[in-house]
Amino acid sequence: MTETTTTLTHQTFGEDPQVGVGLMADDARTAARTLAKANRGRKDAALLHIAERIEAQADAIIEANQKDLTRGEQDGTSSALLDRLKLDKTRITGLADALRELAALPDPVGTVVRGQTLANGLRMRQIRVPMGVVGAIYEARPNVTVDIAGIALKSGNAVLLRGGSAALESNKALVGIIRDALSDQKLPVDIVQSVDDYGREGANALMAARGKVDVLIPRGGHGLIQSVVQNAQVPVIETGEGNVHVFVDASAPEKMAVDVVVNAKTHRNSTCNTAETLILHKDAAAGPAVLAALAKAGVALHVDDRAAAMLPEGTEHSAATDEDWGTEYLDAQMAVKVVDSLDEAIEHIERWTTRHTEAIVTNDLANAEAFIASIDAAAVMVNASTRFTDGGQLGLGAEIGISTQKMHARGPMGLEELTTTKWIVQGDGHVRK
Amino acid sequence: MTETTTTLTHQTFGEDPQVGVGLMADDARTAARTLAKANRGRKDAALLHIAERIEAQADAIIEANQKDLTRGEQDGTSSALLDRLKLDKTRITGLADALRELAALPDPVGTVVRGQTLANGLRMRQIRVPMGVVGAIYEARPNVTVDIAGIALKSGNAVLLRGGSAALESNKALVGIIRDALSDQKLPVDIVQSVDDYGREGANALMAARGKVDVLIPRGGHGLIQSVVQNAQVPVIETGEGNVHVFVDASAPEKMAVDVVVNAKTHRNSTCNTAETLILHKDAAAGPAVLAALAKAGVALHVDDRAAAMLPEGTEHSAATDEDWGTEYLDAQMAVKVVDSLDEAIEHIERWTTRHTEAIVTNDLANAEAFIASIDAAAVMVNASTRFTDGGQLGLGAEIGISTQKMHARGPMGLEELTTTKWIVQGDGHVRK
């Protein structure tokens, strides 16, 4: 299957990536126009059918995935990356289950956002409609292929995927199955297409396809996202890093401070909503207990002088530098700073924040309000772990990523963020005076 | 005043536009943090005070404007552009009145967009907050300086203005007055700054200021907008062209068709919501009457063969070409095409649309619904003039422009579109399990 697809894409769309991806985007637009009119029932049926076919063809997927894994091993890929790349029966069931969960979510398309009858009798309403053609650029994680294809389908969009060379065979197998399933369901197969045959040039063509691709979603590490943000002429939704702070105020109850900080740092240390810097008020009675709990949890501490003095006798630590304040460790490490006041904490955060999630632990109402009002971030937590910045946790359903930009979507993005709106204005021959 | 300001900007921020605009953006960020906490009362008081000072200093503004006009005349600027540039007492009163209207509008900041208490007891709400630092790039229209500064202030944003060299003196005078008024009101003067001293390089620096400027709004002609959209690394809200179509269906009542088409074309022919192409169903009884009315209104018609046959005897016309289908005339000209079916009309629109506004005149409910569902545009009109795609007409208040992109804002943009959101999550020591 895979070799045939490679040949066919080039045969159909030609060798020039820019031209080829443009033609694929045109096909995607046509498919999207049909999909935009499909009701929720049809889209959910398709999602469930894709889930079924993915499970039924698990062996073929695993076989294709094995080729990627073998090549990865030969290329000296790290075991962490190989683990991300790997698909087994359990993970394939997970992919199918994610599609089933998607089918159970409400459909944002057709929602009336606002509306009224104007003084002159014009009836107007603003409704949610699909974006149209979405592009996705990501790295070596075949699960993203199914995730994004499912989210695009549910929100009524066609999608052009660039999944990276490391997962080439896995992604081809998955895209093939999804397209077959769409065909079974009498939906246009070009709802889901891959530009991977064009390699890296496929990604560049997607970034340049202004007017043909409505929005581009990069998913992956810092380098990938920055490259897309800097180079794309297509509008991008930036899902970003989290240099997340927790400020423990003077009045913070000890148990609460320990619980929140330890959870924010250690619940899962490689996620963007994981805390990276702890800021302690100099009078925070909870300070030493929090530091002791972090040390006990195996977190390496990078501390300023005053924080060093709060550490339990003999705790290993290193001196914090500006690099520590600016680093998203994504690891069992944490920078610690002691401040004289709430204002100093806010200024430190303003200097180093990536505007993802910032938290305060306090029992002082005025300080909580000042923190909420002063911090410019996608999410502000009061007495809650930063790990709650998550679409699932906040009850928003399937998550495409967490946006750290201010336009269109901020914070966890769900199905709604893949829609735009359309004004519908109805009159009886109304004209402007 | 003007010469001093020129010297001062360079003295303060240095000769390098990139560095200087970066420093100005930092000052804007600091000012914006203060403004974000100002309540509506303070912002409205400032708007009213700016309005008062602008009227009080009308003579100084007119004097500065005269310098721009004189230079424009010497440079051979067209009389249409000179008219746009010109400020007199009446227009200055208009500027002040627009600020007063802005003060009367509700403040989007602080609006709760959605919220709930989760099963685990976490309280979450998503509120509107200002973007932060907004950039504006526009051309030779000093009224935009006051407009954008007022809209930014009301929505809680600081703004960096690049107003173009043709209006240099006028803009300097206006920015000086606005800053003085902000100072009177004990608000940070750096809420409003001009990068005009850096000339064209100031615009380039704004476009490159990713991370320092949150959103860039280009306002002006096709060339300016495309240049910003193509070159900016800062997120852009594209306010675009309207190649607007009106489809007169077979069932369209004659009077309604004549009223809507003539109004859509001739109410004001230089606006983006003005109709440019008329599509007639071959069986539309209203066709000849519509064409006769357009001809009578002085509209030059570019027609296909079948439309030519519907023209009143002796009506001047030319043959429509592909160029006509793709042209936004912004003038008393209209392209006319006859189609066999609704589907053919929709296909023609899909090929040539700029996704701004599209209209149908019909009495066939199924056709109206099909048109609404099939057309991908910011606004779809049924039996109403395309001129209603307008923030004021749709009751949305002050308008920054009409967005033709799908991200963040689509259609008329008001104050709300200059805000973003922030999640506020409050717990009692909540941690993730």
Side-chain angles (χ1 to χ4, degrees):
Chain A
M1 167 180 54
T2 54
E3 285 315 304
T4 321
T5 312
T6 310
T7 319
L8 272 179
T9 305
H10 280 154
Q11 278 182 355
T12 312
F13 300 109
E15 294 293 334
D16 182 327
Q18 199 70 52
V19 174
V21 170
L23 292 169
M24 293 173 82
D26 291 343
D27 288 349
R29 177 78 53 198
T30 305
R33 290 176 65 196
T34 301
L35 181 61
K37 294 185 213 167
N39 63 27
R40 177 178 167 182
R42 283 195 70 195
K43 293 188 286 189
D44 289 349
L47 287 168
L48 296 175
H49 184 63
I50 295 170
E52 203 175 293
R53 288 203 61 147
I54 283 177
E55 285 192 319
Q57 290 179 253
D59 290 339
I61 296 168
I62 290 169
E63 194 184 319
N65 183 245
Q66 193 55 53
K67 291 185 197 164
D68 287 330
L69 289 171
T70 305
R71 200 180 53 247
E73 278 161 23
Q74 285 163 357
D75 296 352
T77 306
S78 75
S79 61
L81 283 180
L82 288 176
D83 182 60
R84 283 184 170 194
L85 182 55
K86 185 174 176 165
L87 291 176
D88 55 24
K89 288 258 176 186
T90 311
R91 289 187 178 179
I92 288 171
T93 304
L95 292 179
D97 285 344
L99 292 173
R100 292 182 184 114
E101 282 168 29
L102 212 43
L105 288 176
D107 183 351
V109 173
T111 307
V112 178
V113 179
R114 48 184 167 170
Q116 61 175 312
T117 300
L118 297 173
N120 60 6
L122 269 181
R123 286 82 70 195
M124 57 180 257
R125 63 189 194 276
Q126 187 181 30
I127 64 165
R128 288 209 175 281
V129 294
M131 285 270 184
V133 179
V134 174
I137 299 179
Y138 52 100
E139 275 166 344
R141 301 186 78 157
N143 62 312
V144 175
T145 301
V146 179
D147 251 27
I148 298 252
I151 288 171
L153 171 57
K154 177 85 187 200
S155 55
N157 295 288
V159 66
L160 297 175
L161 302 165
R162 160 61 184 160
S165 50
L168 199 61
E169 302 297 336
S170 316
N171 286 337
K172 268 188 191 149
L174 289 166
V175 168
I177 292 168
I178 294 169
R179 287 167 63 93
D180 286 347
L182 289 168
S183 169
D184 291 346
Q185 294 285 312
K186 311 276 181 271
L187 282 170
V189 296
D190 289 336
I191 290 169
V192 178
Q193 297 176 79
S194 163
V195 305
D196 274 333
D197 284 348
Y198 287 114
R200 196 172 291 266
E201 285 303 309
N204 293 336
L206 276 180
M207 290 192 256
R210 190 168 181 99
K212 296 204 173 240
V213 173
D214 295 303
V215 61
L216 202 53
I217 301 170
R219 259 181 80 166
H222 177 75
L224 179 135
I225 290 171
Q226 286 310 306
S227 157
V228 173
V229 161
Q230 302 283 338
N231 297 313
Q233 293 184 304
V234 169
V236 173
I237 297 182
E238 183 177 351
T239 54
E241 299 150 271
N243 187 22
V244 171
H245 301 77
V246 181
F247 171 55
V248 174
D249 196 12
S251 65
E254 183 176 304
K255 181 176 184 312
M256 194 185 275
V258 169
D259 287 352
V260 168
V261 174
V262 171
N263 189 263
K265 179 68 244 181
T266 69
H267 181 258
R268 220 178 122 188
N269 63 27
S270 65
T271 59
C272 60
N273 57 16
T274 298
E276 306 292 4
T277 294
L278 169 66
I279 306 176
L280 295 172
H281 191 284
K282 69 177 164 55
D283 301 327
V290 171
L291 293 174
L294 286 169
K296 197 176 156 203
V299 177
L301 299 172
H302 310 283
V303 299
D304 70 5
D305 289 347
R306 288 197 285 181
M310 285 190 201
L311 286 173
E313 193 72 19
T315 308
E316 269 191 64
H317 62 276
S318 66
T321 63
D322 268 7
E323 204 189 320
D324 288 299
W325 309 137
T327 298
E328 188 186 12
Y329 297 114
L330 298 172
D331 193 9
Q333 299 184 57
M334 193 169 213
V336 187
K337 183 186 179 71
V338 173
V339 296
D340 288 330
S341 65
L342 172 69
D343 283 347
E344 192 186 342
I346 290 170
E347 286 313 313
H348 179 88
I349 292 172
E350 176 62 22
R351 171 144 185 227
W352 298 104
T353 183
T354 53
R355 306 198 191 285
H356 185 297
T357 300
E358 306 297 352
I360 184 173
V361 184
T362 189
N363 190 41
D364 186 305
L365 180 56
N367 285 1
E369 295 294 332
F371 191 84
I372 291 170
S374 301
I375 295 296
D376 181 15
V380 179
M381 302 285 162
V382 179
N383 299 338
S385 170
T386 57
R387 289 277 296 138
F388 285 109
T389 306
D390 174 282
Q393 291 295 318
L394 295 183
L396 307 174
E399 184 182 289
I400 308 161
I402 295 176
S403 164
T404 49
Q405 70 181 29
K406 293 180 178 179
M407 275 181 61
H408 187 68
R410 199 181 197 201
M413 294 187 293
L415 292 168
E416 201 172 274
E417 281 69 29
L418 278 189
T419 64
T420 181
T421 57
K422 175 156 88 172
W423 284 104
I424 297 165
V425 181
Q426 293 194 254
D428 314 292
H430 282 67
V431 296
R432 259 181 86 171
K433 303 280 182 258
Chain B
M1 168 177 57
T2 54
E3 286 315 305
T4 320
T5 311
T6 309
T7 317
L8 273 180
T9 305
H10 280 153
Q11 277 181 353
T12 312
F13 300 108
E15 295 293 334
D16 181 326
Q18 199 69 52
V19 173
V21 170
L23 292 169
M24 294 172 82
D26 291 341
D27 288 349
R29 177 77 52 196
T30 304
R33 290 177 63 196
T34 301
L35 181 61
K37 294 185 215 170
N39 62 29
R40 178 178 166 181
R42 285 196 69 195
K43 293 188 285 190
D44 288 351
L47 288 167
L48 296 175
H49 184 63
I50 296 169
E52 203 174 291
R53 288 202 64 147
I54 283 177
E55 284 192 320
Q57 291 179 251
D59 290 340
I61 297 168
I62 290 169
E63 195 183 318
N65 183 245
Q66 195 53 54
K67 291 184 198 166
D68 288 331
L69 289 170
T70 305
R71 199 182 52 245
E73 278 162 20
Q74 286 163 357
D75 296 351
T77 305
S78 76
S79 60
L81 283 180
L82 287 175
D83 182 60
R84 283 184 169 194
L85 182 57
K86 186 175 174 163
L87 291 175
D88 55 25
K89 288 256 179 189
T90 311
R91 288 185 178 182
I92 288 171
T93 304
L95 292 180
D97 285 344
L99 292 173
R100 292 182 184 113
E101 282 167 29
L102 211 42
L105 288 176
D107 183 351
V109 174
T111 309
V112 178
V113 179
R114 49 183 165 167
Q116 62 174 312
T117 299
L118 298 174
N120 59 7
L122 269 181
R123 287 81 72 193
M124 55 179 260
R125 61 190 195 274
Q126 186 181 30
I127 64 165
R128 288 211 176 279
V129 295
M131 284 270 185
V133 179
V134 173
I137 299 180
Y138 51 101
E139 274 166 347
R141 301 188 77 158
N143 62 314
V144 176
T145 301
V146 179
D147 251 26
I148 298 255
I151 288 171
L153 171 57
K154 178 84 186 200
S155 55
N157 294 289
V159 67
L160 296 175
L161 302 165
R162 161 62 183 160
S165 50
L168 200 61
E169 301 297 336
S170 316
N171 286 337
K172 269 188 189 150
L174 290 167
V175 168
I177 292 167
I178 294 169
R179 286 168 63 92
D180 287 346
L182 289 169
S183 169
D184 291 346
Q185 293 285 310
K186 310 277 183 275
L187 282 170
V189 296
D190 289 337
I191 289 169
V192 179
Q193 297 176 78
S194 164
V195 305
D196 275 334
D197 284 349
Y198 288 114
R200 195 173 292 264
E201 285 302 311
N204 293 337
L206 276 181
M207 289 192 257
R210 190 167 181 100
K212 297 205 173 241
V213 172
D214 295 304
V215 61
L216 203 52
I217 302 169
R219 259 182 78 166
H222 178 75
L224 179 133
I225 289 171
Q226 286 309 308
S227 157
V228 173
V229 161
Q230 302 283 338
N231 297 313
Q233 293 184 303
V234 169
V236 173
I237 297 181
E238 182 175 355
T239 55
E241 297 149 273
N243 188 22
V244 171
H245 301 77
V246 181
F247 171 56
V248 174
D249 196 14
S251 64
E254 181 175 305
K255 181 177 183 309
M256 194 185 276
V258 170
D259 287 351
V260 168
V261 174
V262 171
N263 188 265
K265 179 70 246 180
T266 68
H267 181 257
R268 219 178 123 191
N269 63 28
S270 65
T271 59
C272 58
N273 56 18
T274 297
E276 305 293 3
T277 294
L278 168 66
I279 306 174
L280 296 171
H281 191 284
K282 68 177 168 49
D283 300 328
V290 171
L291 292 174
L294 287 168
K296 196 177 157 203
V299 176
L301 299 171
H302 311 285
V303 300
D304 70 4
D305 289 348
R306 288 196 286 180
M310 288 189 198
L311 286 172
E313 192 74 18
T315 308
E316 269 191 64
H317 62 278
S318 66
T321 63
D322 268 6
E323 203 188 322
D324 289 297
W325 308 137
T327 297
E328 187 185 11
Y329 297 114
L330 297 171
D331 194 9
Q333 299 185 57
M334 194 167 210
V336 187
K337 183 184 180 72
V338 174
V339 295
D340 288 330
S341 64
L342 172 69
D343 282 347
E344 192 186 343
I346 290 170
E347 287 311 314
H348 179 89
I349 293 172
E350 175 61 22
R351 171 146 185 223
W352 298 103
T353 183
T354 54
R355 307 198 189 283
H356 186 296
T357 300
E358 306 297 352
I360 184 172
V361 184
T362 189
N363 190 39
D364 186 304
L365 180 56
N367 285 1
E369 295 294 333
F371 191 83
I372 291 171
S374 301
I375 294 295
D376 181 16
V380 179
M381 303 284 165
V382 178
N383 298 338
S385 170
T386 58
R387 289 277 295 138
F388 284 110
T389 305
D390 174 283
Q393 292 294 318
L394 294 183
L396 307 175
E399 183 181 289
I400 308 162
I402 295 175
S403 164
T404 49
Q405 70 181 28
K406 293 180 178 178
M407 273 182 62
H408 186 70
R410 199 179 196 201
M413 293 187 295
L415 292 168
E416 202 172 275
E417 280 70 27
L418 278 189
T419 65
T420 180
T421 57
K422 174 157 87 174
W423 285 103
I424 297 165
V425 181
Q426 295 194 254
D428 314 293
H430 282 67
V431 295
R432 258 182 87 174
K433 303 282 182 255

